[in-house]
Structure formats: C-alpha cells, structure tokens
Amino acid sequence: MDILFWLALATVVVVLLFDYTNGFHDAANIVATVIASRAMTPAQAVLIVGFFEFLGPLLGGTAVANTIGSFVRLDGIDPASALTILLCGLLGAIAWNLLTWWRGIPSSSSHALVGGLAGVVVVSAGPDQVVWGMQELFQQGHVTGVMKVLLALLLSPLVGFWCGFLVQRLMHALLLAAKPAANRGLKGAQFITAAGLAFSHGANDAQKSMGILTLVLLLGGFIPTFQVPFWVMFACATAITLGILSGGWRIVRTLGFAIYRVRPLHALNSQLTSAGVIFAASLVGAPVSTTHVVATSIMGIGASERPRAVRWSKAQEIATTWIITIPGAALVAILIYAVLRLFLGPA
C-alpha cells in the first residue's frame, strides 16, 4: 500500500506538471494576436488571460475530463503497473511539449497526451486496453474513445479556418466605411474576446489533466467511481494558470507574426472565432487543440483577405508537426517505459 501511495503521488505530481507545461506551451496561443495587434502589453495580456484561465476549469464542467479519462482501460491491470503506464505516457507528453516549445513550434499538447498514453498502453498492456471507438462508430453511430478524440482534433482546425474566413468577411463588410479611429474600439474589444478565449482554453485543456488525475485516483483505489473531485479541478486550474503566467513566449512570434500580419480586426476575429469553437467543443466533451484552432483561424482570416500574404510555408511546417506529434509523443513515452522496465525489471 505504501508503494502504491507513493507511486500515485508521483503520478499526480507529473499530471500537474503536464498541466503546467500545457499552459506554458499554450500561453502564446492565447496572447499572440492580442500582443501582435498592440491591443495589450504583455503584462496586461498575461494578467487578464491568467484570471479567466483559472475560472475556466472551475466553471466549464467535466465533459472533456470524462472523455479523456475513458479512452484507455487500465482497471483490469495491477494498480501499480497501471499507474506506471500512466506515468510514462505523461512523461512522454511533457517531453514532447518541451521539445516543441524549445523549437518554437506550436504543436498540440492534446495530441501529445493522446499519443503518449495510447502508445505506452498498446506496448505495455496491449491494443485491447485502448478504447479505439471504431466499432461503436461504424456499427452503432456512437462516437467514443480515441475516435472521439481524433475526430475532435481533426475537425476543429477545419472549423477554425472556415469560421475565421467567414467572420473576417462579415466584419470587413460591417466596417467597410469605418475610419482608422475604429482601431481603438477594436483593440478595446479584445479585452473581452481575449478573456473569452482564455476561459474556453481553461475549460477545455485543463479538463484533460482533470480526467487523467481522476483516473489516477480511481486506479489507486482512492475514489470509488470516476467523478472529478473539486480539489482536482482547483489543482488543475492552478497548475495551468501558473503555466500561462510563465508564458511560452517563443511561440508568440510564430502565431502573431509568421503566418499573417495581424492587425486589430484580425486579432479580434481570431479570438472571437477560437473562443467560440473551443467553448462549443467543451460543452459536448470534445477535447480540441487550442493551438490548432488559433493557428487555422489566423490562416482563414488571411485567406479571406489576402491569400497570397499568408505564409503557407509556415502553415505547412506547423501542419507537419501536427501530423508527427501523436507518433512522436508515443515513441518518447514507449522509450521512457522501456528504460523504466530495464531498471525495475518486468512488471
């Protein structure tokens, strides 16, 4: 029991560390456009974003947590082995987050989490322990497990692109006769849209850690059923907010300047689009990537206005990173598991 307790404690710490790196990695996704359009100073952006980021996990429900906490089955495995598997999957996701942050590439923390966990579960416990969801989808028309996660992650960038495209066209038509002084109002409105984006990010991304942390408690026998305790919500809200406040500023340049030249109207439209898409996904329990949605909304806005001015080469680089994130994080998690088993011996 003592070993199980300390293993569970270590896994909880690693979950919160992942949550922190998620916020650290995604800070730029939220503040990039508001800083690039000069609507706020970095200090203002971080303070406002941090406050609403903290509220998101507390008020956004637990639908996403339920999805993330149920796409792998580890209840039939020895608790110590199950926690070790979760630990390695999380370490793989954290390593991938830090690697892509170091390279200044806005990859998806959600993809990294799914890849790390699914990869190590397949190798250590077998593919049957992953809820793939293919049978449920094609035979029952029910979306669940990995299929629900992947569909959300794949469809959300497309929705972000086309919503950004349409919102830009609509706002451009409404402001066609506006004078340059209107930029002051557009910058002021970003205090609201940036807060909305931060809230929706917290409501979606922190729930992923909430789901894993609750799964740790369930597998360790500390709670009887999968129900997210309030202290888990509070802890994950705190960890992701601290990550946001730390700020992964390397990615601000990529999202704010390297895809399209962002002006106040573009920034407002990107924040409005991203906040709407992410919050809607949170309500239906779909874990999406803020990185994907923000980046593609900027691409859609640029394509709507001046397609040739969009730096599609940078978009291609980002898309390539998205494609390799799941297998990359899976490979890192598997290597960590192999090294751990080498030193500790077979389970």
Side-chain angles (χ1 to χ4, degrees), residues 65-149:
N66 294 335
T67 299
I68 289 295
S70 61
F71 84 91
V72 291
R73 290 194 193 102
L74 297 173
D75 50 307
I77 301 174
D78 172 68
S81 299
L83 291 178
T84 301
I85 291 169
L86 283 180
L87 185 62
C88 292
L90 288 162
L91 289 173
I94 291 171
W96 190 265
N97 274 351
L98 294 176
L99 175 63
T100 52
W101 163 79
W102 177 60
R103 299 294 300 173
I105 300 172
S107 67
S108 167
S109 297
S110 303
H111 275 185
L113 179 61
V114 172
L117 287 178
V120 75
V121 168
V122 168
V123 169
S124 61
D128 292 341
Q129 300 301 119
V130 178
V131 182
W132 300 106
M134 294 183 184
Q135 183 176 352
E136 291 84 352
L137 177 62
F138 295 114
Q139 294 184 4
Q140 305 170 17
H142 177 59
V143 183
T144 188
V146 174
M147 286 302 297
K148 183 174 184 177
V149 175

Side-chain angles (χ1 to χ4, degrees), residues 66-341:
N66 294 335
T67 299
I68 289 295
S70 61
F71 84 91
V72 291
R73 290 194 193 102
L74 297 173
D75 50 307
I77 301 174
D78 172 68
S81 299
L83 291 178
T84 301
I85 291 169
L86 283 180
L87 185 62
C88 292
L90 288 162
L91 289 173
I94 291 171
W96 190 265
N97 274 351
L98 294 176
L99 175 63
T100 52
W101 163 79
W102 177 60
R103 299 294 300 173
I105 300 172
S107 67
S108 167
S109 297
S110 303
H111 275 185
L113 179 61
V114 172
L117 287 178
V120 75
V121 168
V122 168
V123 169
S124 61
D128 292 341
Q129 300 301 119
V130 178
V131 182
W132 300 106
M134 294 183 184
Q135 183 176 352
E136 291 84 352
L137 177 62
F138 295 114
Q139 294 184 4
Q140 305 170 17
H142 177 59
V143 183
T144 188
V146 174
M147 286 302 297
K148 183 174 184 177
V149 175
L150 290 182
L151 283 174
L153 293 173
L154 290 172
L155 292 178
S156 56
L158 298 176
V159 175
F161 180 92
W162 288 111
C163 283
F165 185 97
L166 294 174
V167 168
Q168 175 66 23
R169 284 289 175 91
L170 176 62
M171 294 292 284
H172 184 267
L174 292 174
L175 297 173
L176 191 60
K179 297 180 180 179
N183 281 326
R184 185 179 303 171
L186 294 173
K187 290 180 179 179
Q190 288 183 57
F191 281 78
I192 299 174
T193 54
L197 177 55
F199 181 89
S200 64
H201 178 266
N204 197 284
D205 275 50
Q207 283 197 53
K208 297 159 191 171
S209 297
M210 285 160 52
I212 299 301
L213 187 44
T214 305
L215 182 60
V216 171
L217 298 176
L218 181 64
L219 293 173
F222 302 103
I223 56 175
T225 59
F226 189 94
Q227 188 170 0
V228 182
F230 177 77
W231 75 263
V232 170
M233 298 182 191
F234 186 84
C236 290
T238 302
I240 200 169
T241 301
L242 289 175
I244 290 288
L245 294 176
S246 301
W249 300 108
R250 287 175 178 266
I251 304 173
V252 168
R253 183 177 299 276
T254 300
L255 289 176
F257 303 97
I259 297 176
Y260 189 70
R261 184 181 177 185
V262 175
R263 296 182 176 86
L265 179 60
H266 308 139
L268 179 69
N269 292 341
S270 174
Q271 294 156 23
L272 185 63
T273 297
S274 302
V277 172
I278 296 167
F279 188 69
S282 300
L283 293 178
V284 298
V288 299
S289 167
T290 303
T291 307
H292 286 203
V293 176
V294 172
T296 55
S297 71
I298 296 172
M299 294 176 201
I301 288 166
S304 174
E305 188 177 65
R306 294 173 58 205
R308 291 187 178 181
V310 178
R311 295 178 178 86
W312 298 109
S313 58
K314 177 58 68 174
Q316 184 178 4
E317 177 185 329
I318 294 172
T320 301
T321 306
W322 293 343
I323 293 171
I324 66 173
T325 290
I326 288 181
L331 179 60
V332 174
I334 291 169
L335 289 174
I336 293 172
Y337 180 79
V339 171
L340 194 63
R341 291 267 60 87

